[in-house]
Amino acid sequence: MTASPLDIRVQDIDHCGIVAGICDEMELVEQINRLLGSHPQEIISAGQVVKAMILNGLGFVSAPLYLFEKFFIGKATEHLLGEGIHPEHLNDDRLGRVLDKLYSKGLTEVFVTVALSAARKFGVKMDSLHLDSSSFHVDGDYTLQTGEEEAEPGTIHITYGYSRDHRPDLKQFILDLMCSGDGDIPLYLRVADGNESDSAMFAKLIADFKRQWLLDALFVADAALYTEENLQQMKQLRWVSRVPITLTAAKQLLDNIHENAFVSSSLPGYRIASCCNFYADILQRWIVVESQVRKQADLKQLEKRLSKQLTKAQTELKQLSQQQFACEKDAQLAAERMNCKLPLHQLVDIKVVEILQHKGRGRPRKNAVIEKHYQLCATLAPKQTAIDVEVQRAGRFLLATNVLDASKLSDDHVLIEYKAQQSTERGFRFLKDPLFFTSSVFLNSPKRVAALAMIMGLCLLVYSLGQRALRQALNRAKKTIDDQLGKPTAAPTLRWVFQCFMSIHLVTVAQSKQITNLTSERHWILNFFGAPCRKYYLLC
């Protein structure tokens, strides 16, 4: 009797087991299926499709959406997504239908429901939330068809607008993101029109979020929030915002505040000065912050501006000195106009010189007509008063809060909360990374583009939760793992961990499974992830 050949399959798992485990721990598939519904005859549910998109999105292999099915060829698809699921089930049609269902359900509602549930499971503190927005460019026309806007008034408009990426030549959409101060966890996401204004929407978004989800948090935002209308809308909320220095009151405070008003902050390299202010009919605390690092950078920039403006002013003065004027008054007016345009320099030693000139060549006759005109003569000097103001402003910015009781929110904590605003900025940098699968969007429908943007947010949610959980586990155990330079760290990035898990395979031999290339280093790292992650590497 001839022995049958062994059925041996070798499939990639790499870091996808970690991503799949985090998705399982936050019950992502169950949450999506509960929101969108499922059918017993479905081979792959909507929740499993969303999980697959997150695996694709966090694959960091520049595999855009239209290569979605190919991404899973060679992957341990059944192991990661469920029995009976194969790459061919993850086709464009199935993907598109799920994106449409997500859009119809409400992208913000889906995201916030999943994010808040996951945050509670992972013990994320939601004492402070940080709001910001950014633009994402797309390829293609995305022109609304006649009647489309009336039929679906909620459809986002992918259009030209202010581009944070400095690509005004490309159409875009806007993504509003709200992250917790604890671990940079995104808790709110909204996709908006490409030309929407931050200042027009921020207060409404915060108020709606607070009303719908009943979170008693401190809301933190940049200067786009600080308008009279927005502050009026947020009277019942606690907030911290940067104050635009274009406000007259802000300019006056920054220009006139005395050195003795500043005290050292508990944050190294900062000084702060606090005062009360009544703006938009709201009593609030204004806090002038001076950063030593930023001051040095601002002073260097000031030196460059002085040099550049001096060179430009010298060229203009040379041209002005060669100009002929009909009368002395015209020459003086020209000097005054130039002086008004110079921000940091001024004309000094201004003289108007009378020039006599006759028409024709050679020596003039006694009765020759003599023409008279005037020319300017002046030199340039620094405008010391204006420079002193710039030096005083260097490194300083202004924060405001309506929490008046410093025992509940100290000046130092106002600064700490504002510095944590970088959480949303880090989130946007992550989403715009060239290795992320949506660095350019290739979908043909604004609805699906918006739904894909929400999937991008879910990728950020999974990544941030995983990174936070890993760092907390290392700190609790007082252990470390090696970083890129081979040095021990208790605060690794999850991306680095993903790179450490390349070339791990699931080998199946006659229904028996085993993991290959699970080195001692990788085994050590997996100790600090939960059981849902370890099970994909057959460790529990």
Side-chain angles (χ1 to χ4, degrees):
M1 187 174 176
T2 307
S4 60
L6 288 175
D7 178 20
I8 301 176
R9 284 184 300 163
V10 180
Q11 297 171 303
D12 296 336
I13 185 169
D14 300 331
H15 67 274
C16 290
I18 296 174
V19 177
I22 298 167
C23 290
D24 293 350
E25 196 168 351
M26 57 189 279
E27 297 182 354
L28 174 81
V29 173
E30 294 82 358
Q31 289 274 6
I32 296 296
N33 287 341
R34 197 175 300 124
L35 290 165
L36 301 189
S38 58
H39 194 280
Q41 292 183 339
E42 287 178 335
I43 296 175
I44 178 168
S45 69
Q48 289 169 315
V49 171
V50 171
K51 181 180 178 181
M53 285 193 276
I54 292 172
L55 288 170
N56 183 198
L58 293 177
F60 296 107
V61 290
S62 291
L65 194 65
Y66 65 83
L67 296 178
F68 186 69
E69 183 180 335
K70 293 183 179 180
F71 172 81
F72 286 94
I73 295 175
K75 287 278 191 300
T77 309
E78 279 191 283
H79 184 66
L80 295 167
L81 295 176
E83 187 177 350
I85 298 175
H86 302 288
E88 59 267 24
H89 297 136
L90 298 162
N91 53 60
D92 292 346
D93 289 340
R94 183 65 181 132
L95 190 70
R97 287 196 299 272
V98 171
L99 290 175
D100 290 341
K101 289 178 74 174
L102 287 168
Y103 188 89
S104 298
K105 183 63 180 177
L107 300 176
T108 297
E109 179 186 348
V110 171
F111 183 87
V112 175
T113 300
V114 172
L116 289 184
S117 174
R120 293 185 181 109
K121 288 181 185 301
F122 279 75
V124 177
K125 295 178 183 177
M126 293 178 269
D127 300 334
S128 63
L129 299 175
H130 301 262
L131 173 64
D132 207 347
S133 69
S134 193
S135 58
F136 288 77
H137 68 263
V138 298
D139 299 283
D141 284 338
Y142 296 98
T143 304
L144 283 173
Q145 302 297 321
T146 305
E148 184 178 349
E149 186 173 0
E150 290 77 8
E152 296 186 85
T155 304
I156 66 164
H157 295 175
I158 297 177
T159 185
Y160 301 105
Y162 173 71
S163 173
R164 279 75 162 181
D165 302 324
H166 308 292
R167 289 301 306 270
D169 56 313
L170 295 176
K171 290 184 178 181
Q172 64 183 25
F173 62 87
I174 299 296
L175 199 63
D176 297 314
L177 200 62
M178 210 180 292
C179 295
S180 71
D182 177 15
D184 302 350
I185 310 300
L187 299 175
Y188 174 91
L189 177 144
R190 173 178 171 269
V191 188
D193 297 346
N195 57 358
E196 184 177 273
S197 167
D198 292 351
S199 58
M201 288 303 300
F202 271 9
K204 185 178 184 302
L205 297 182
I206 290 173
D208 288 349
F209 182 78
K210 172 71 165 61
R211 183 169 54 254
Q212 292 178 32
W213 303 99
L214 301 175
L215 285 180
D216 184 24
L218 177 74
F219 292 91
V220 186
D222 221 320
L225 179 68
Y226 201 87
T227 67
E228 290 191 42
E229 184 179 353
N230 285 346
L231 298 186
Q232 285 294 329
Q233 290 185 54
M234 299 195 306
K235 276 187 174 180
Q236 306 305 317
L237 305 175
R238 296 181 300 125
W239 52 262
V240 168
S241 174
R242 185 163 177 167
V243 181
I245 59 170
T246 52
L247 291 180
T248 302
K251 286 181 181 177
Q252 291 174 347
L253 179 59
L254 290 174
D255 292 349
N256 299 313
I257 190 166
H258 198 275
E259 281 290 312
N260 294 338
F262 285 91
V263 296
S264 295
S265 168
S266 61
L267 278 71
Y270 287 92
R271 296 195 307 158
I272 53 179
S274 178
C275 65
C276 285
N277 192 280
F278 196 72
Y279 180 78
D281 295 328
I282 297 171
L283 186 62
Q284 51 198 274
R285 259 192 302 158
W286 276 18
I287 300 164
V288 182
V289 181
E290 182 181 276
S291 163
Q292 191 59 39
V293 172
R294 181 169 174 172
K295 183 171 186 174
Q296 293 172 357
D298 285 352
L299 290 175
K300 286 183 180 179
Q301 286 297 320
L302 178 60
E303 288 180 13
K304 291 179 181 178
R305 282 168 53 205
L306 282 168
S307 176
K308 186 176 180 179
Q309 289 182 15
L310 177 61
T311 301
K312 182 181 177 183
Q314 287 171 335
T315 302
E316 291 177 358
L317 178 59
K318 183 178 179 180
Q319 293 172 349
L320 188 62
S321 300
Q322 295 170 351
Q323 191 174 337
Q324 296 181 354
F325 297 93
C327 63
E328 186 175 353
K329 185 177 180 181
D330 287 348
Q332 290 172 340
L333 286 172
E336 290 175 12
R337 283 195 296 270
M338 182 174 175
N339 246 339
C340 289
K341 292 193 301 180
L342 297 175
L344 299 175
H345 296 85
Q346 58 187 341
L347 295 178
V348 296
D349 299 330
I350 301 172
K351 297 177 184 177
V352 180
V353 180
E354 182 182 83
I355 305 294
L356 300 177
Q357 188 177 25
H358 77 284
K359 286 185 177 181
R361 297 179 180 177
R363 191 172 181 179
R365 298 177 182 177
K366 288 184 179 180
N367 59 350
V369 177
I370 304 296
E371 290 186 346
K372 185 186 297 184
H373 62 265
Y374 298 85
Q375 287 183 309
L376 274 174
C377 182
T379 56
L380 284 163
K383 195 181 290 184
Q384 199 57 48
T385 305
I387 293 173
D388 289 343
V389 168
E390 293 289 331
V391 170
Q392 179 165 324
R393 284 186 186 176
R396 293 179 181 177
F397 57 94
L398 188 56
L399 301 177
T401 180
N402 64 339
V403 181
L404 302 178
D405 190 346
S407 65
K408 295 181 179 178
L409 184 69
S410 68
D411 294 344
D412 276 346
H413 275 90
V414 172
L415 175 57
I416 290 169
E417 290 293 353
Y418 181 74
K419 282 174 64 64
Q421 181 70 3
Q422 295 173 358
S423 61
T424 49
E425 295 170 5
R426 283 190 289 267
F428 287 128
R429 282 199 299 271
F430 171 86
L431 294 174
K432 293 183 178 186
D433 192 289
L435 284 179
F436 199 68
F437 79 138
T438 45
S439 57
S440 293
V441 179
F442 295 90
L443 296 176
N444 57 8
S445 158
K447 293 192 299 182
R448 292 185 177 181
V449 169
L452 182 61
M454 195 275 289
I455 298 294
M456 293 162 60
L458 289 178
C459 290
L460 175 60
L461 173 65
V462 170
Y463 181 91
S464 301
L465 286 171
Q467 181 168 274
R468 175 182 176 275
L470 171 61
R471 291 177 176 181
Q472 285 188 331
L474 287 167
N475 285 325
R476 281 195 302 267
K478 296 186 167 101
K479 302 294 182 181
T480 62
I481 66 173
D482 288 344
D483 64 10
Q484 294 92 320
L485 301 176
K487 296 181 179 179
T489 177
T493 65
L494 199 57
R495 172 171 294 190
W496 165 242
V497 171
F498 287 171
Q499 291 174 354
C500 292
F501 275 67
M502 292 179 65
S503 302
I504 295 180
H505 307 293
L506 173 69
V507 178
T508 306
V509 182
Q511 306 303 316
S512 176
K513 296 180 178 179
Q514 62 180 2
I515 300 293
T516 64
N517 289 339
L518 197 59
T519 63
S520 58
E521 178 193 16
R522 292 165 175 173
H523 202 292
W524 170 252
I525 293 172
L526 284 171
N527 287 328
F528 302 101
F529 285 99
C533 294
R534 294 198 299 272
K535 77 173 184 181
Y536 285 100
Y537 299 93
L538 307 181
L539 296 177
C540 62

